[in-house]
Each structure stands twice: as structure tokens, then as C-alpha cells.
Amino acid sequence: MSNLLKIQEVTENMIRIGGYNSFSFREIADKVGIKSSSVHYHFPTKVDLSVAVARRYTDTFMSILEEAKPSSITIEESLNSYINLFEKALKEDCKMCLCGLLAAESLNLPEELKKEVQRFFNLNIKWLGEKFLQHADVQNDPELAEAKAVFLISALEGAMLTSQVNNKNEMFDMTIQQLRALLKF
Amino acid sequence: MSNLLKIQEVTENMIRIGGYNSFSFREIADKVGIKSSSVHYHFPTKVDLSVAVARRYTDTFMSILEEAKPSSITIEESLNSYINLFEKALKEDCKMCLCGLLAAESLNLPEELKKEVQRFFNLNIKWLGEKFLQHADVQNDPELAEAKAVFLISALEGAMLTSQVNNKNEMFDMTIQQLRALLKF
DNA sequence: GTCTATAATTTGATAGAC
DNA sequence: GTCTATCAAATTATAGAC
């Protein structure tokens, strides 16, 4: 695998563990097996590197969502596959959502990076909103669909944060169970 | 106001803006109007300072909850006052919940500080669980009460993060509206 | 309690050789 | 594309005077 890819992968993991202020070029370089000046060759500044990693994260996230999309699929299946993405991030990667963590510290983020994190949320809300529009309970009410979308992504990001700090994946499961019961799917 | 209090107040604000790695003793000192060595006099290490601030945050938070507690109060009123605490933090302080932000970066936190953040969540879940136990829908099922408690605090923390990064308080309102409709209060 | 002074380390970033 | 070498600034923390 190319060093450019390794750099992005290592950086993604470090941001997902401790946020924007928790990694340095030297640490990244050590984990990749190169020198910090080589990291600067690929990404001149810390903002450049972080924005690239956030963009990659969002693009991968959305492309996974779009993949399983033979429109024959039901709304319930769509929501399940959406929830599964978060569940996998928490239980397999054992880390926060990259954009969730960055959103929490967004007041302290370089504007360029904050914009990229907003893109993650906008795309997610748009995707979810379209799914909810098909749901029986929503009945072609775009505002209600958006409200449910905002509610769902918020609950999922919050559930990750809650269960991570308490070291209890069951807390994530509890929230999903409540969500399913309340949203009826 | 004493410098000791000023230090804690300034630190709380800085953590709520950018997390554990976003503040330095010099910055704190500058904002208080003293020198960084004077901050070290009150709090020898960064962990000491952060733990004290987190403890103070949780204690204040819980004492506000306990205050309005003449047991004549209804479950609906209890939940409303709980939600109001988060809403005020977001809309008046214009910042994240201190323990919410620290929870997001908990994998990178000193163990002592992480423990203190866990205390915030445990106390909140306990308080909410007791309220839900009185709710008609729960019917003396402690596990269901706890599940609803975990669900509610997760949704609120997530809603803060989502609406903060998007600069849209309406997103918080949307989530509350959904919560009320779904939890029926 | 607050100050000056300072130590030891880490940080983001650059210049220039290969 | 990666390296060595280096810089200026910032970081946590301590010693000791007042």
C-alpha cells in the first residue's frame, strides 16, 4: 500500500481516537515508517491533511450507503444498513465516528475542516430524509422527513459517544432498540 | 471572584470549545490575568486541573437537577427541566456539554479524567432512570427505564453536536420535538 | 499566592541533498 | 518521494525569590 494511503489511514485512526489536536506529523510518520518531512511532502499543512482525511471518510461512508441501493429495497432495510454502519464503526473499529468527534470540537476547528465535517452531516441528512419520505408515517412531508433524519443521526452519534466512554456496547444496543420501537421498524 | 474560581471557569469554557488538548496553562493564565506558574500552584498538573473542572461541572449539573425536586412534580416536568439544561448549554453558553465533548475523545483521555466523565453519565442515567420508572409506559421495569435513560441522554448529546457543527439550533429543536412525540411527553 | 526564570520536550513547518 | 538538519514557537512543569 502506498505511503500516501497509509498516512491517511493512520491519521484517520488518530483523529477518531483523540480529535484534531491529538496527533502530530511525527507520530503519523513513525506509524507509517517514514520521516515527518515526508508527510509534509504529501500534505503541506495539518489542515490540508485533516481535510483530505475527512473528505475521504465522508466519501467512503456515502459510497457504502449508495452501494446497497437497488431501489427495490424497503425503508426498513435502508435504515438497518444505515445503523449498521455506525454499529460497525463502534464495535469493529472500536472508535468514534470521525465526523462525530470533529463535530463535538467544531468551535475550535479551522474553518476549512469544519466545512468538510458539515458536508458529512448534510449528506447524511439528505440521504436519510429521502428514505423517510418513503415511510408510511411521513406521508410526503419533507420537513418531517428531515426532522426524523436529524433525530436519527443525532441519536446514533450520541449513542456512540455514550457507550464508548462507558465501555459498554450494550448502551449503543439499548439506544438502537429504543429507536426501532419508537420509529417502528 | 477568586483566581481559583476564575481558573476553573476559564478552563471549563476552553474544554467545552475544543476538548482536553485544546488549552494550555499559559492561555488559562492569560485569560485569568496571572502567570502560568500561578495556575500550577492551584492545580499541579493538567490532569488535576481537568479532573477538578469536570467534577465541578458534574456536581453543578446534578445539583440543579436535584434542586427542582419537590416530589410533587410530574415525570413530564422532570424531563422538561432535564432537556432545558442541555438546551441552555447549547443556546445560552453556545457550547458543547463538557462531558459530552470529553466522552467523544475518551479513548485519548487520562484514566483519572475518563473516570470522572463516566461519573457524569452514570449519575445522569441513574437520575433519568428513576424518573422513567414512574412513567406509565415503563410500569416498574428497571431495565426499560434504564434503556430510555441511556437513549435520552444519547439523543441530547448527539443533538448538541449535530446542531453545533451546523450552526443551526433548529436541529436541536427538531430532535427534541421528535423525542417528545416518540416518548409521549 | 504570585512572580521571574528556566528546563526539557514537542510541535508545525522549511531548506536542501539524494 | 524520502531523507537530514534545523528553526521558531509552544508545551508541561519546576525552583526559588518576594
Coordinates of all heavy atoms in Angstrom, one line a residue, chain A residues 1-8 32-43, chain C residues 15-18, chain D residues 1-4:
Chain A
M1 N 0.8 -1.2 0.0 CA 0.0 0.0 0.0 C 0.9 1.3 0.0 O 1.9 1.3 0.7 CB -0.9 0.0 1.3 CG -1.9 1.1 1.3 SD -2.6 1.4 2.9 CE -3.6 -0.1 3.1
S2 N 0.5 2.3 -0.8 CA 1.3 3.5 -0.9 C 1.4 4.2 0.5 O 0.5 4.1 1.3 CB 0.7 4.4 -1.9 OG -0.5 5.0 -1.5
N3 N 2.4 4.9 0.6 CA 2.6 5.7 1.9 C 1.5 6.8 2.0 O 1.1 7.1 3.1 CB 4.0 6.4 1.9 CG 5.0 5.4 2.4 OD1 4.7 4.3 3.0 ND2 6.3 5.7 2.0
L4 N 1.1 7.3 0.8 CA 0.0 8.3 0.9 C -1.2 7.8 1.5 O -1.9 8.4 2.3 CB -0.2 8.8 -0.6 CG -1.2 10.1 -0.7 CD1 -0.6 11.0 -1.8 CD2 -2.6 9.7 -0.9
L5 N -1.6 6.6 1.1 CA -2.7 5.9 1.7 C -2.5 5.6 3.1 O -3.4 5.8 4.0 CB -3.1 4.6 0.9 CG -4.1 4.8 -0.3 CD1 -4.3 3.5 -1.0 CD2 -5.4 5.3 0.3
K6 N -1.3 5.1 3.5 CA -1.0 4.7 4.9 C -1.2 6.0 5.7 O -1.7 5.9 6.8 CB 0.4 4.2 5.0 CG 0.5 2.7 4.6 CD 1.9 2.2 5.1 CE 2.4 1.1 4.2 NZ 3.9 0.8 4.4
I7 N -0.7 7.1 5.2 CA -0.7 8.4 6.0 C -2.2 8.7 6.3 O -2.5 9.0 7.5 CB -0.1 9.5 5.2 CG1 1.4 9.3 5.1 CG2 -0.4 10.9 5.9 CD1 2.1 10.3 4.2
Q8 N -3.1 8.6 5.3 CA -4.5 8.9 5.5 C -5.1 8.0 6.5 O -5.9 8.4 7.4 CB -5.2 8.9 4.2 CG -4.7 10.0 3.2 CD -5.5 10.0 2.0 OE1 -6.7 10.5 2.0 NE2 -4.9 9.6 0.8
V32 N 3.8 5.2 10.1 CA 3.9 4.8 8.7 C 5.2 4.2 8.4 O 5.4 3.4 7.5 CB 3.6 6.1 7.8 CG1 3.8 5.7 6.3 CG2 2.1 6.5 8.0
G33 N 6.2 4.7 9.1 CA 7.6 4.2 8.9 C 8.4 5.1 8.0 O 9.3 4.7 7.3
I34 N 8.1 6.4 8.0 CA 8.8 7.4 7.3 C 9.2 8.6 8.2 O 8.9 8.5 9.4 CB 8.0 8.0 6.1 CG1 6.6 8.5 6.5 CG2 7.9 6.8 5.0 CD1 5.8 9.0 5.4
K35 N 9.7 9.7 7.6 CA 10.0 10.9 8.4 C 8.9 11.9 8.3 O 8.2 12.0 7.3 CB 11.4 11.4 8.0 CG 12.5 10.5 8.3 CD 12.7 10.3 9.8 CE 13.7 9.3 10.1 NZ 13.9 9.1 11.6
S36 N 8.8 12.8 9.3 CA 7.7 13.8 9.3 C 7.8 14.7 8.0 O 6.7 15.2 7.5 CB 7.7 14.6 10.5 OG 8.8 15.5 10.6
S37 N 9.0 15.0 7.5 CA 9.1 15.9 6.4 C 8.5 15.2 5.1 O 8.0 15.9 4.2 CB 10.5 16.2 6.1 OG 11.3 15.1 6.0
S38 N 8.4 13.9 5.1 CA 7.8 13.1 4.0 C 6.3 13.3 4.1 O 5.6 13.2 3.1 CB 8.2 11.7 4.0 OG 9.6 11.5 3.9
V39 N 5.8 13.4 5.3 CA 4.3 13.6 5.5 C 4.0 15.0 4.9 O 3.0 15.2 4.2 CB 3.9 13.5 6.9 CG1 2.4 13.7 7.0 CG2 4.3 12.1 7.5
H40 N 4.9 16.0 5.2 CA 4.6 17.3 4.7 C 4.7 17.4 3.2 O 4.1 18.3 2.6 CB 5.7 18.3 5.3 CG 5.3 18.8 6.7 ND1 4.3 19.7 7.0 CD2 5.9 18.4 7.9 CE1 4.3 19.9 8.3 NE2 5.2 19.1 8.9
Y41 N 5.5 16.5 2.6 CA 5.5 16.4 1.2 C 4.1 16.2 0.6 O 3.7 16.8 -0.4 CB 6.5 15.4 0.7 CG 6.4 15.1 -0.8 CD1 7.0 16.0 -1.7 CD2 5.8 14.0 -1.3 CE1 6.9 15.7 -3.1 CE2 5.7 13.7 -2.6 CZ 6.2 14.6 -3.5 OH 6.1 14.4 -4.9
H42 N 3.4 15.2 1.2 CA 2.1 14.8 0.7 C 1.0 15.8 1.1 O 0.1 16.1 0.3 CB 1.8 13.4 1.2 CG 2.6 12.3 0.6 ND1 2.5 11.9 -0.7 CD2 3.6 11.6 1.2 CE1 3.4 10.9 -0.9 NE2 4.1 10.7 0.2
F43 N 1.2 16.3 2.3 CA 0.2 17.2 2.8 C 0.9 18.4 3.5 O 1.3 18.2 4.7 CB -0.8 16.5 3.8 CG -1.5 15.4 3.3 CD1 -1.0 14.1 3.5 CD2 -2.6 15.5 2.5 CE1 -1.7 13.0 2.9 CE2 -3.3 14.4 1.9 CZ -2.8 13.1 2.2
Chain C
dA15 P 11.7 27.3 2.5 OP1 11.8 28.8 2.2 OP2 10.9 26.4 1.7 O5' 13.2 26.8 2.7 C5' 14.0 27.0 3.8 C4' 15.4 26.4 3.6 O4' 15.4 25.1 4.1 C3' 15.8 26.3 2.1 O3' 17.2 26.6 2.0 C2' 15.4 24.9 1.8 C1' 15.7 24.2 3.1 N9 14.8 23.0 3.3 C8 13.4 22.9 3.0 N7 12.9 21.7 3.3 C5 14.0 21.1 4.0 C6 14.0 19.8 4.6 N6 13.0 18.9 4.6 N1 15.2 19.4 5.1 C2 16.3 20.3 5.0 N3 16.3 21.5 4.5 C4 15.1 21.8 4.0
dG16 P 17.9 26.6 0.6 OP1 19.0 27.6 0.6 OP2 16.8 26.7 -0.5 O5' 18.6 25.2 0.4 C5' 19.3 24.7 1.5 C4' 19.7 23.2 1.3 O4' 18.5 22.4 1.6 C3' 20.0 22.9 -0.2 O3' 21.0 22.0 -0.3 C2' 18.7 22.3 -0.7 C1' 18.3 21.5 0.6 N9 16.9 21.0 0.6 C8 15.8 21.6 0.2 N7 14.7 20.9 0.4 C5 15.2 19.8 1.1 C6 14.5 18.6 1.6 O6 13.3 18.4 1.5 N1 15.3 17.7 2.2 C2 16.7 17.9 2.3 N2 17.4 16.9 2.9 N3 17.4 18.9 1.8 C4 16.5 19.8 1.2
dA17 P 21.8 21.6 -1.6 OP1 23.0 22.5 -1.7 OP2 20.8 21.6 -2.7 O5' 22.2 20.1 -1.4 C5' 22.8 19.7 -0.2 C4' 22.7 18.2 0.0 O4' 21.3 17.9 0.3 C3' 23.1 17.4 -1.2 O3' 23.8 16.2 -0.8 C2' 21.7 17.0 -1.8 C1' 20.8 16.9 -0.6 N9 19.4 17.2 -0.8 C8 18.9 18.4 -1.4 N7 17.6 18.3 -1.5 C5 17.2 17.1 -1.0 C6 16.0 16.4 -0.9 N6 14.8 17.0 -1.3 N1 15.9 15.2 -0.4 C2 17.1 14.6 -0.1 N3 18.3 15.1 -0.1 C4 18.3 16.4 -0.6
dC18 P 24.5 15.3 -1.9 OP1 25.6 14.7 -1.2 OP2 24.6 16.1 -3.1 O5' 23.4 14.2 -2.2 C5' 23.1 13.2 -1.2 C4' 22.0 12.3 -1.7 O4' 20.8 13.0 -1.8 C3' 22.3 11.8 -3.2 O3' 22.6 10.4 -3.1 C2' 20.9 12.0 -3.9 C1' 20.0 12.5 -2.8 N1 19.0 13.5 -3.2 C2 17.6 13.2 -3.3 O2 17.3 12.1 -2.9 N3 16.8 14.1 -3.7 C4 17.2 15.3 -4.0 N4 16.3 16.2 -4.4 C5 18.6 15.7 -4.0 C6 19.4 14.7 -3.6
Chain D
dG1 P 5.1 10.6 -5.9 OP1 3.9 10.3 -5.3 OP2 5.5 11.9 -6.5 O5' 6.4 10.5 -4.9 C5' 6.6 9.6 -4.4 C4' 7.8 9.4 -3.5 O4' 9.0 10.2 -3.9 C3' 7.5 9.7 -2.1 O3' 7.9 8.6 -1.3 C2' 8.3 11.0 -1.7 C1' 9.5 10.8 -2.7 N9 10.1 12.1 -3.1 C8 9.6 13.2 -3.6 N7 10.5 14.1 -3.9 C5 11.7 13.5 -3.6 C6 13.0 14.0 -3.7 O6 13.4 15.2 -4.1 N1 14.0 13.1 -3.3 C2 13.7 11.8 -2.9 N2 14.7 11.0 -2.6 N3 12.4 11.3 -2.8 C4 11.5 12.3 -3.1
dT2 P 7.5 8.2 0.1 OP1 7.2 6.8 0.1 OP2 6.5 9.3 0.5 O5' 8.8 8.4 1.0 C5' 10.0 7.7 0.6 C4' 11.2 8.5 1.1 O4' 11.5 9.7 0.4 C3' 11.1 9.0 2.6 O3' 11.8 8.1 3.4 C2' 11.8 10.3 2.5 C1' 12.3 10.5 1.1 N1 12.3 11.9 0.6 C2 13.5 12.5 0.4 O2 14.6 12.0 0.6 N3 13.4 13.8 -0.1 C4 12.2 14.5 -0.3 O4 12.2 15.6 -0.8 C5 11.0 13.7 -0.1 C7 9.7 14.4 -0.3 C6 11.1 12.5 0.4
dC3 P 12.1 8.4 5.0 OP1 12.3 7.1 5.7 OP2 11.0 9.3 5.4 O5' 13.4 9.3 5.0 C5' 14.7 8.6 4.6 C4' 15.8 9.7 4.5 O4' 15.4 10.7 3.5 C3' 16.0 10.5 5.7 O3' 17.0 9.8 6.5 C2' 16.5 11.8 5.2 C1' 16.0 11.9 3.8 N1 15.0 13.0 3.6 C2 15.4 14.3 3.2 O2 16.6 14.5 3.0 N3 14.5 15.3 3.0 C4 13.2 15.0 3.2 N4 12.3 16.0 3.0 C5 12.7 13.7 3.6 C6 13.6 12.8 3.8
dT4 P 17.3 10.3 8.0 OP1 18.1 9.3 8.7 OP2 16.0 10.7 8.6 O5' 18.2 11.6 7.8 C5' 19.5 11.6 7.1 C4' 20.1 13.0 7.2 O4' 19.3 13.9 6.5 C3' 20.3 13.5 8.6 O3' 21.6 14.1 8.7 C2' 19.1 14.5 8.8 C1' 19.0 15.0 7.3 N1 17.6 15.4 7.0 C2 17.4 16.7 6.5 O2 18.3 17.5 6.2 N3 16.1 17.0 6.2 C4 15.0 16.2 6.4 O4 13.8 16.5 6.1 C5 15.3 14.9 6.9 C7 14.1 13.9 7.2 C6 16.5 14.6 7.2

